[in-house]
Amino acid sequence: MAEGSGGAAPCDLVFEAQPLDLAFHPVRDVVATGLMSGEVCIHEYKADGGGEDEVTAAATVTTGNVLLCKLRHHEESCRALEFSADGRYLFTSSADASLAAVDTETGQVTYRELNPPAHAVNARAALSETVGATGEGERLGKTMD
């Protein structure tokens, strides 16, 4: 929220590992963060702030924000995240060249492809519900169905 706009901004999330990417849920007040450690943290954020800090294994969360899920399904840094258009799935990509889909209702990994490209995946984009594209090292891009 812009400074001086009068509204409350969500409290900061402070992570133990460097955040590399984040994605906002298209419907809910939820943000997913991919970390250098390979973890993916999914938080519900609220603008009510205040309260005491709670320290978790992945982040220090000020009351008002809620850690919904912490995933460790990548061996190396989680470099790219994106929610599906309806928010049902979170797609993640990693430096270990793996791709995954996480059901946001259950927190379960529903799809995992190990080492599909020749290089680490640095970016991804959903082109439709069934087709995605990745940006990989060496300026390589792939479209996957």
Side-chain angles (χ1 to χ4, degrees):
M1 186 159 298
E3 191 173 324
S5 64
C11 298
D12 291 343
L13 294 171
V14 180
F15 298 95
E16 291 180 1
Q18 178 182 352
L20 297 176
D21 194 18
L22 58 88
F24 289 92
H25 193 281
V27 179
R28 298 172 48 204
D29 290 338
V30 169
V31 63
T33 309
L35 304 179
M36 180 70 87
S37 64
E39 289 180 319
V40 175
C41 295
I42 303 174
H43 287 89
E44 180 178 35
Y45 58 90
K46 298 180 182 180
D48 55 9
E52 307 219 355
D53 286 346
E54 173 187 347
V55 178
T56 68
T60 300
V61 182
T62 301
T63 304
N65 297 323
V66 177
L67 180 63
L68 300 176
C69 186
K70 181 174 59 170
L71 303 166
R72 182 74 168 114
H73 57 279
H74 291 298
E75 296 297 319
E76 295 180 33
S77 60
C78 180
R79 295 184 177 183
L81 303 164
E82 184 175 19
F83 282 100
S84 61
D86 62 2
R88 175 71 196 263
Y89 296 99
L90 175 67
F91 304 108
T92 65
S93 304
S94 174
D96 64 14
S98 67
L99 306 171
V102 178
D103 183 316
T104 59
E105 296 298 317
T106 66
Q108 298 297 311
V109 175
T110 60
Y111 173 82
R112 182 170 166 88
E113 189 170 336
L114 299 174
N115 304 316
H119 303 282
V121 179
N122 296 316
R124 64 160 291 112
L127 303 177
S128 73
E129 287 297 317
T130 58
V131 178
T134 62
E136 302 164 12
E138 305 295 320
R139 290 178 253 167
L140 187 66
K142 291 190 179 183
T143 304
M144 294 169 287
D145 187 8

